[in-house]
Amino acid sequence: MRERRAALDRRRAREFETFAAGAAGRLLHAAVLLTGEPPDAAPRAQRLLIAALSRTYAEWDRLSGDDGEDPYDRARRELVLRFAREAAWRAPARRGRRGRRAGGVLGELGPQERVVLVLRLYEGLAEEQTAALIGLPVERVRVVCARAVAAMRERARRRGTRPGPSGLREAGR
């Protein structure tokens, strides 16, 4: 019985390692976009990724079955929800004068706008899926996305640049 359990545990670990090897890069990039950290030094993004993958591994048996949830969807949801909880603690009122805004491509946007843009444009989720994931009405997701895209265009216009290949594209347009 122990040998059988050990064999199952090894198989589970191999399956998860394969999943993590394939998904970690994309999830880390999403976390970097959310946190606004530079890609080469992103400790918050890495912590978000590790926490999301840890939670996914803890629920692996329920996820890996034929009728289970997609492991990537689960890891992405955990990443986004952890970021949202952390962002609530880092609200402008708590940052004080020395607090700093996020940098990167999405640095001028608020946490909610970053989450919506990453889910809609980088991850390619539909408005309905995005709304369900973060608990907002579909119309609110639509408005937040439009406002964030307009802010990004205005930022690019002010700087005299065109938005580069950052992985963010307007979905469905």
Side-chain angles (χ1 to χ4, degrees), residues 83-142:
F83 170 76
R85 282 191 299 265
E86 181 180 301
W89 285 101
R90 296 179 185 272
R94 294 210 47 189
R95 277 198 313 235
R97 290 185 189 182
R98 290 184 231 194
R100 54 185 195 107
R101 295 185 62 91
V105 175
L106 306 179
E108 294 180 12
L109 302 176
Q112 188 178 68
E113 292 169 324
R114 280 186 268 156
V115 167
V116 169
L117 278 188
V118 168
L119 291 174
R120 289 280 296 126
L121 306 182
Y122 178 69
E123 289 289 327
L125 294 183
E127 289 172 342
E128 295 79 13
Q129 291 173 300
T130 301
L133 180 65
I134 59 178
L136 291 176
V138 174
E139 185 58 35
R140 178 73 178 147
V141 167
R142 189 174 297 128

Side-chain angles (χ1 to χ4, degrees), residues 18-32:
T18 302
F19 161 75
R26 185 168 176 91
L27 288 168
L28 180 60
H29 188 72
V32 166

